[in-house]
Amino acid sequence: MISKIGNQTKSFLQTVGSVVWLLLNTVSEMMENITRGRAPFRAASLFEQTDRAGVGSIPLTAMVAFFLGLTMAILTGYQLQRFGSERYVPGLVAVAFTRELGPLLTGIVIAARIGAAYTAELGTMTVSEEVEALETMGIGPMRFLVAPRVVAITCLMPCLSVVATVAALISTALVSWYNLNISFSYCRDLMLESIMLKDIYTGVVKSLLFGLIIGLVSCYKGLAVQGGAAGVGSSTTSSVVIAITTVIGMDTVANIILTNVLP
């Protein structure tokens, strides 16, 4: 039992160290290009990844958030109606999604959809020795493959989190109007009164952090694939599990820090 815990701890620390190494080397290759007067990476590659990770993820993110907001509004309304406090439902859902559920839900969806795709794609390139071919041609794989993906997913996470929050607020307004007899205009006022500036920047900071984690973990697992096609499948599964677990763990750490340092 102790040996198993020790091996898992060792594996976890190796993964964390490797991800940090990947981040530092990617930044180093980008800075090296900038000092030579070149772009840090190809703009076309960034636009391609932006379209793929951002625009392509909007329908799924919005749909999942819409139904989660619907469920949350129904359940909280059911409980608060017993105390005559149903008017707090719009504000409660608005704060929860702006600060917590919007970034977290988006992170889980993106880790499953885009993170898995990144790992499978880079893993396939690794086992087919395309990454080695890039190095042979003098093209830095971190700058060419990792940087556009990580930058795209990090920058797009706050936008997707806003989409998720808006979708959840729309479903909450519908439930408030149909079940709780709260008009749309009054529901909007209750939401705006409840949301504070710190809720907004907390959500934005979390989204950026989650995007960086998902991008780095998925790219690292793709470049570290071993064992052919079976290895690609195994690394893809591992990438999704590690990314989602890390996002949830970092969400807890961020809540502790932001609650105590910036209450």
Side-chain angles (χ1 to χ4, degrees), residues 108-122:
I108 293 173
V109 170
I110 294 301
R113 182 178 183 273
I114 302 301
Y118 282 179
T119 303
E121 188 176 277
L122 295 182

Side-chain angles (χ1 to χ4, degrees), residues 50-262:
T50 300
D51 178 66
R52 180 183 178 191
V55 179
S57 300
I58 288 176
L60 179 61
T61 304
M63 184 181 66
V64 173
F66 181 88
F67 287 120
L68 184 59
L70 201 71
T71 303
M72 191 172 175
I74 291 173
L75 293 179
T76 53
Y78 171 74
Q79 290 294 325
L80 292 178
Q81 262 187 323
R82 299 166 57 188
F83 306 101
S85 304
E86 61 270 19
R87 71 184 185 88
Y88 291 111
V89 171
L92 178 66
V93 177
V95 173
F97 268 88
T98 303
R99 186 182 181 110
E100 181 72 25
L101 294 179
L104 185 61
L105 179 67
T106 305
I108 293 173
V109 170
I110 294 301
R113 182 178 183 273
I114 302 301
Y118 282 179
T119 303
E121 188 176 277
L122 295 182
T124 304
M125 294 180 68
T126 301
V127 298
S128 61
E129 299 182 351
E130 291 181 47
V131 177
E132 290 184 8
L134 288 174
E135 292 176 334
T136 304
M137 290 187 290
I139 300 174
M142 312 299 173
R143 175 181 61 83
F144 191 75
L145 298 174
V146 176
R149 289 171 170 78
V150 174
V151 171
I153 203 169
T154 302
C155 294
L156 286 170
M157 274 293 292
C159 303
L160 291 171
S161 179
V162 170
V163 171
T165 302
V166 170
L169 296 185
I170 291 173
S171 63
T172 301
L174 291 174
V175 171
S176 299
W177 168 72
Y178 187 77
N179 279 2
L180 308 176
N181 294 320
I182 298 176
S183 67
F184 288 119
S185 59
Y186 186 43
C187 181
R188 180 200 59 199
D189 293 341
L190 291 173
M191 289 176 178
L192 293 177
E193 288 175 3
S194 302
I195 298 174
M196 300 177 69
L197 181 60
K198 66 179 181 181
D199 298 323
I200 297 174
Y201 70 68
T202 298
V204 172
V205 170
K206 283 184 179 179
S207 300
L208 291 170
L209 178 64
F210 295 165
L212 181 64
I213 291 172
I214 294 167
L216 288 173
V217 169
S218 58
C219 289
Y220 162 69
K221 296 300 290 185
L223 294 174
V225 165
Q226 293 180 341
V232 174
S234 175
S235 284
T236 302
T237 304
S238 175
S239 167
V240 174
V241 171
I242 291 174
I244 291 177
T245 305
T246 307
V247 163
I248 295 174
M250 287 306 298
D251 180 62
T252 304
V253 174
N255 279 333
I256 293 172
I257 294 174
L258 293 172
T259 302
N260 290 284
V261 178
L262 301 170

Side-chain angles (χ1 to χ4, degrees), residues 17-62:
S18 300
V19 169
V20 173
W21 177 89
L22 179 66
L23 173 62
L24 295 177
N25 276 272
T26 302
V27 173
S28 173
E29 287 191 5
M30 291 169 59
M31 293 304 297
E32 185 179 344
N33 249 32
I34 291 174
T35 54
R36 292 179 179 177
R38 300 176 181 173
F41 44 75
R42 290 194 312 152
S45 180
L46 177 63
F47 294 145
E48 180 187 345
Q49 297 303 328
T50 300
D51 178 66
R52 180 183 178 191
V55 179
S57 300
I58 288 176
L60 179 61
T61 304

